[in-house]
Amino acid sequence: MQLPARGELTAIDPVALRRALGTFVTGVTVVTTRDADGRPRGMTANSFTSVSLDPPLLLVCIGKGAASYPTFQEAGHFAVNLLHDGQTDVSNLFASKSPDKFSDVGHDTVHTGAPVLTDCLTWFDCSVHDRVDAGDHTVLIGRIHAFGTSPAAPLGFCRGRYANVKDPLPPGWLSSHDMIVGYLIDANGSLLLAQDGKGGWVLPTAPRRVTQGRLPLPGGGELALLPDDTFLYSVFDTAENDPGYLVYRARLAQPAALATLPPRLRFFPFDQLPFDDIPSREIRSMLRRYVRETGGGNFTIYMDSHDGGRIAMVGDAQPWDQPIHV
């Protein structure tokens, strides 16, 4: 390789430059948003990086030649979905000009309303913090409002093709137990609980956050939930070696489904909740808080911490409230 003489200006070969830049191993992301009519839009991108932890910022570069570029220029929010090593098909789909990229890809909303892929390595739900014009791309800087990750291996990309990344998880990176996703399903002042097989009652759960508002039921069937009325309500651990909980508040889309519930499921009026038969102290405390907040019409989110936990108003950007003890 011959280097130019000091001070000598040389023309840059764009093909050679692209190949040189392509030797940097990256992950693969799908960047998503919604257009002015609320339709989901998305594209594959690998120019992604973290920017700041305080405030929590990231960036992704959007090519001006992309079909969805005008949408990203106008949108006030977006999500970055990092793909795992089993999602080369998803990467190829969102890199294509398919008119309906979301028809066979599970997605949901979490905080901003941007589509979040329900099966991916890691996702970040962001509002637009800034846009920077940069040649044939726009640098989209996002402020992170919510995120989630999994123990899957990442999908890599290098020299214009997908790459396998050996990714043994280091000790302590993730808990050995997955988080339990529970649902507070409210119907006319009653909450849905499920028998635990030991004489007690627990929240209905799902392997991961449900897609398209469909909660699978034990023994078959599903309940339809209102996607626009579902939000994260509580996050906590129950013990050092037990799985933690992500609890979402939801409402039924079809109240008539109450008459067709499996025997193991039952709706309890707020004033008849079987607290003595709910084995988890944290779940009992959370249910009491939910009943109290439902009566007042103001909801908070609880986050566990070493000093007893904190709560904040849903949708309120103010700092966490004072610690509470459950």
Side-chain angles (χ1 to χ4, degrees):
M1 178 175 63
Q2 183 176 359
L3 298 177
R6 183 184 299 273
E8 180 181 347
L9 297 178
T10 60
I12 295 291
D13 180 346
V15 175
L17 177 61
R18 185 182 184 90
R19 289 174 178 170
L21 294 172
T23 61
F24 183 68
V25 182
T26 71
V28 183
T29 79
V30 168
V31 190
T32 58
T33 189
R34 294 188 185 276
D35 62 21
D37 296 322
R39 294 172 299 191
R41 302 292 298 272
M43 58 177 286
T44 299
N46 66 341
S47 51
F48 160 82
T49 189
S50 62
V51 174
S52 169
L53 293 178
D54 185 18
L57 302 176
L58 56 75
L59 70 78
V60 65
C61 297
I62 307 296
K64 294 180 180 178
S68 55
Y69 173 77
T71 300
F72 282 100
Q73 275 294 90
E74 297 296 329
H77 57 260
F78 66 95
V80 180
N81 305 270
L82 280 60
L83 302 185
H84 60 65
D85 61 357
Q87 293 185 297
T88 57
D89 56 338
V90 176
S91 173
N92 292 333
L93 172 63
F94 280 88
S96 73
K97 297 185 182 298
S98 171
D100 190 5
K101 299 177 181 179
F102 290 86
S103 59
D104 295 322
V105 177
H107 60 282
D108 210 335
T109 57
V110 178
H111 183 90
T112 68
V116 170
L117 303 190
T118 52
D119 180 21
C120 63
L121 172 69
T122 301
W123 54 265
F124 302 94
D125 193 6
C126 308
S127 61
V128 174
H129 179 77
D130 199 4
R131 290 183 176 88
V132 180
D133 186 79
D136 56 8
H137 282 67
T138 287
V139 180
L140 196 59
I141 301 175
R143 183 175 185 123
I144 303 166
H145 293 277
F147 65 94
T149 190
S150 77
L155 177 62
F157 196 78
C158 183
R159 301 184 190 274
R161 59 186 178 181
Y162 297 113
N164 293 324
V165 179
K166 293 182 179 180
D167 185 41
L169 290 175
W173 178 252
L174 286 176
S175 170
S176 60
H177 299 275
D178 291 334
M179 297 289 282
I180 295 174
V181 181
Y183 281 83
L184 277 169
I185 299 178
D186 187 334
N188 301 322
S190 296
L191 286 177
L192 183 64
L193 297 179
Q195 292 179 343
D196 64 1
K198 304 175 184 178
W201 294 90
V202 295
L203 293 176
T205 61
R208 57 170 62 96
R209 190 170 185 220
V210 300
T211 61
Q212 306 299 321
R214 299 284 177 174
L215 177 67
L217 298 177
E222 58 186 17
L223 283 179
L225 307 178
L226 292 171
D228 293 338
D229 204 10
T230 299
F231 58 80
L232 181 64
Y233 184 72
S234 192
V235 182
F236 59 88
D237 290 328
T238 55
E240 182 177 354
N241 296 318
D242 289 338
Y245 272 85
L246 297 173
V247 179
Y248 290 88
R249 183 262 199 180
R251 291 186 183 276
L252 288 180
Q254 300 171 338
L258 295 175
T260 60
L261 289 175
R264 290 186 57 211
L265 295 175
R266 176 181 166 187
F267 272 93
F268 288 89
F270 287 174
D271 59 357
Q272 297 179 27
L273 287 170
F275 289 109
D276 292 341
D277 296 323
I278 297 174
S280 168
R281 174 181 63 87
E282 292 83 1
I283 295 294
R284 292 196 303 269
S285 176
M286 181 194 61
L287 290 179
R288 289 189 174 97
R289 176 168 65 92
Y290 180 80
V291 171
R292 183 176 65 252
E293 292 178 348
T294 300
N298 294 314
F299 290 102
T300 61
I301 181 172
Y302 166 75
M303 297 290 289
D304 192 21
S305 66
H306 69 280
D307 58 355
R310 288 173 166 80
I311 61 173
M313 298 300 297
V314 172
D316 191 347
Q318 299 300 316
W320 290 113
D321 202 346
Q322 295 300 313
I324 62 169
H325 297 274
V326 297

